[in-house]
Amino acid sequence: MVPVRRALRLVIDQKAEIVEADGQRTICSAYLSVPRPAVIRLVRFVHVPRRFRRQVTNTFLFARDEYRCQFCGRRSVDLKPRECLTRDHLVPLSRGGTNDWTNVLTACSTCNTRKGNHLPAECGMHPLQVPVEPHFVHLTWAVRRLTPVQARYIRLFYGADTLRTLQAL
Ligand SMILES: [Zn+2]
């Protein structure tokens, strides 16, 4: 699962071919016109560096935590105008914490400031849920919805159970 721009790049570089296109929509540039890819197939091995596979972006982090501060429980829509969702480190970076899925969580800016450089036990701030590494498919579903055509491929490659789990989210 990749952004459309990345999918197009792979197709144009002949590293992938389009299996399913998104209806009649095409993407045009001065030089070429390509159907908008919905499902692509890699025609040769494409190396994905480990740091990209493991990277936790705020988009995915906030989606995993359902856009909810993991300390006070408020959702992004409940925040005051000057507050925002931020990334908090359970074990602060300054004390050897990492950016791994199991050490980062969504916190409102107020809770993040209050927690500062403390460990949860030191300031009595414990997250609502223990942070875990989510399944990549779940994240993609949480961030943007799959089309019916893409859902068919999820069923094919990940099974009907996974698809049902995703659709229940
Ligand atoms: Zn909060």
Side-chain angles (χ1 to χ4, degrees):
M1 288 177 191
V2 295
V4 169
R5 284 178 67 94
R6 168 97 171 124
L8 274 176
R9 188 77 257 166
L10 291 167
V11 170
I12 290 166
D13 291 346
Q14 299 184 334
K15 291 175 180 163
E17 57 190 23
I18 296 174
V19 178
E20 300 273 359
D22 186 1
Q24 301 303 309
R25 296 171 69 185
T26 55
I27 294 172
C28 302
S29 77
Y31 308 101
L32 79 174
S33 162
V34 184
R36 186 182 161 89
V39 178
I40 59 171
R41 185 177 77 88
L42 293 175
V43 291
R44 54 189 154 108
F45 181 75
V46 176
H47 179 68
V48 180
R50 195 177 166 77
R51 66 194 168 90
F52 285 121
R53 261 182 281 166
R54 290 266 160 187
Q55 213 170 48
V56 184
T57 64
N58 279 354
T59 305
F60 285 143
L61 176 65
F62 297 165
R64 181 198 67 181
D65 296 339
E66 294 171 333
Y67 306 94
R68 187 186 286 274
C69 172
Q70 293 299 296
F71 295 110
C72 67
R74 289 183 302 159
R75 291 175 153 270
S76 49
V77 292
D78 306 325
L79 299 181
K80 295 180 191 137
R82 291 191 146 196
E83 293 177 315
C84 58
L85 291 182
T86 63
R87 168 187 302 223
D88 185 65
H89 299 85
L90 221 45
V91 177
L93 291 174
S94 62
R95 300 176 67 170
T98 65
N99 267 304
D100 293 339
W101 279 110
T102 51
N103 192 50
V104 291
L105 34 84
T106 305
C108 72
S109 43
T110 302
C111 287
N112 198 333
T113 305
R114 193 152 65 90
K115 183 166 170 296
N117 274 332
H118 295 105
L119 298 173
E122 293 171 348
C123 56
M125 292 174 72
H126 297 281
L128 300 175
Q129 289 171 319
V130 176
V132 294
E133 176 165 357
H135 192 292
F136 184 64
V137 178
H138 289 217
L139 287 177
T140 307
W141 181 264
V143 173
R144 64 192 127 104
R145 297 180 70 83
L146 301 168
T147 67
V149 169
Q150 291 171 327
R152 223 171 58 223
Y153 285 82
I154 295 291
R155 193 186 303 117
L156 184 63
F157 289 104
Y158 295 94
D161 284 348
T162 302
L163 185 61
R164 266 196 299 278
T165 309
L166 293 175
Q167 286 170 337
L169 287 176

